[in-house]
């Protein structure tokens, strides 16, 4: 089965609402990363967060290893936040990064 | 800002033909990766590399070869292309200690491959 599962698969928000994206994993964890992908575009690193909570502007990532989950919280969403958010884990197997299926976020005015 | 350049941006190939996708980074990053992205599957790792001369199998290596002749260049080779290999391919690089994952990955813009 899939090692990394993301939920929801898609999410539609009104501008200004908050978003909570989840990433659950079934294997051991060395590190967790979050990426953002614009529609039809490349990927950009958002967070490297092996454990605990990290914040950058309106984005907050929390990884709880013993619960095998990581989350990405987006506060006061903006139209420009629209795109796909992907989590990826490294499970101590060298430099391998395994991605989840992604959450497609649409923020409407 | 670290840059990763993929070529070509678009490629149409015939079944049974040979296809080479190229990736170049001038950031002196150790780790390089090849992923494919398909609807419903997210990104799946094909091959990766720890440095010049190194290639490692990812999660879906069958039907693909990789080559890392230098620190800067990492190629993905489809010796006998099949329609099931139609996809968007992404290359990425990152700087890390040997055998470790980088904290920041830099992705290329992708190559859209269609195999007829």
């Amino acid at each position: 089965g899939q090692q990394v599962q993301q939920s929801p698969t898609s999410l539609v928000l009104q501008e200004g609402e908050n978003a909570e994206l989840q990433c659950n994993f079934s294997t051991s964890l060395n590190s967790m990363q979050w990426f953002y992908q614009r529609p039809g575009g490349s990927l950009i690193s958002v967070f490297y967060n092996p454990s605990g909570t990290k914040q950058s502007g309106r984005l907050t990532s929390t990884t709880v290893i013993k619960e095998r989950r990581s989350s990405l919280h987006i506060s006061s969403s903006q139209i420009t936040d629209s795109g796909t958010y992907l989590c990826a884990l490294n499970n101590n197997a060298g430099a391998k990064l395994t991605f989840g299926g992604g959450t497609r976020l649409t923020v409407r005015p | 800002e670290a840059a990763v350049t993929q070529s070509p941006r678009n490629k149409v190939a015939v079944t049974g033909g040979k296809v080479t996708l190229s990736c170049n980074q001038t950031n002196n990053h150790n780790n390089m990766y090849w992923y494919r992205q398909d609807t419903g599957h997210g990104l799946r790792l094909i091959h990766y590399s720890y440095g010049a001369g190194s290639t490692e199998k990812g999660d879906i290596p069958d039907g693909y070869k990789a080559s890392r002749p230098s620190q800067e260049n990492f190629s993905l080779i489809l010796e006998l292309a099949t329609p099931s290999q139609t996809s968007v391919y992404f290359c990425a690089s990152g700087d890390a200690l040997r055998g470790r994952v980088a904290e920041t990955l830099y992705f290329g813009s992708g190559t859209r491959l269609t195999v007829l």
Side-chain angles (χ1 to χ4, degrees), chain B residues 6-25:
Chain B
Q6 291 184 234
S7 62
R9 289 298 308 274
N10 293 281
K11 173 75 176 177
V12 179
V14 296
T15 298
K18 182 177 180 179
V19 177
T20 300
L21 307 183
S22 299
C23 180
N24 174 270
Q25 54 94 5

Side-chain angles (χ1 to χ4, degrees), chain A residues 83-95:
Chain A
T84 300
Y85 292 83
L86 300 105
C87 64
L89 73 82
N90 172 262
N91 65 353
N92 297 316

Side-chain angles (χ1 to χ4, degrees), chain A residues 28-91:
Chain A
S28 60
L29 178 75
N30 182 51
S31 65
M32 174 65 71
Q33 303 192 30
W34 284 89
F35 295 83
Y36 167 70
Q37 184 177 29
R38 285 191 190 88
S42 186
L43 287 85
I44 301 168
S45 284
V46 176
F47 279 114
Y48 172 84
N49 186 13
S51 67
T53 298
K54 289 191 173 183
Q55 182 176 1
S56 176
R58 296 182 293 106
L59 303 181
T60 303
S61 169
T62 299
T63 298
V64 184
I65 295 174
K66 60 182 178 181
E67 294 180 12
R68 299 188 178 239
R69 64 175 178 86
S70 181
S71 64
L72 180 66
H73 181 85
I74 304 173
S75 63
S76 303
S77 62
Q78 300 177 359
I79 295 170
T80 52
D81 293 332
S82 297
T84 300
Y85 292 83
L86 300 105
C87 64
L89 73 82
N90 172 262
N91 65 353

Side-chain angles (χ1 to χ4, degrees), chain A residues 1-17:
Chain A
Q2 270 193 317
Q3 291 185 332
V4 186
Q5 299 231 358
Q6 290 190 243
S7 61
T9 54
S10 65
L11 182 61
V12 180
L13 300 175
Q14 293 296 123
E15 194 173 17
E17 291 182 329

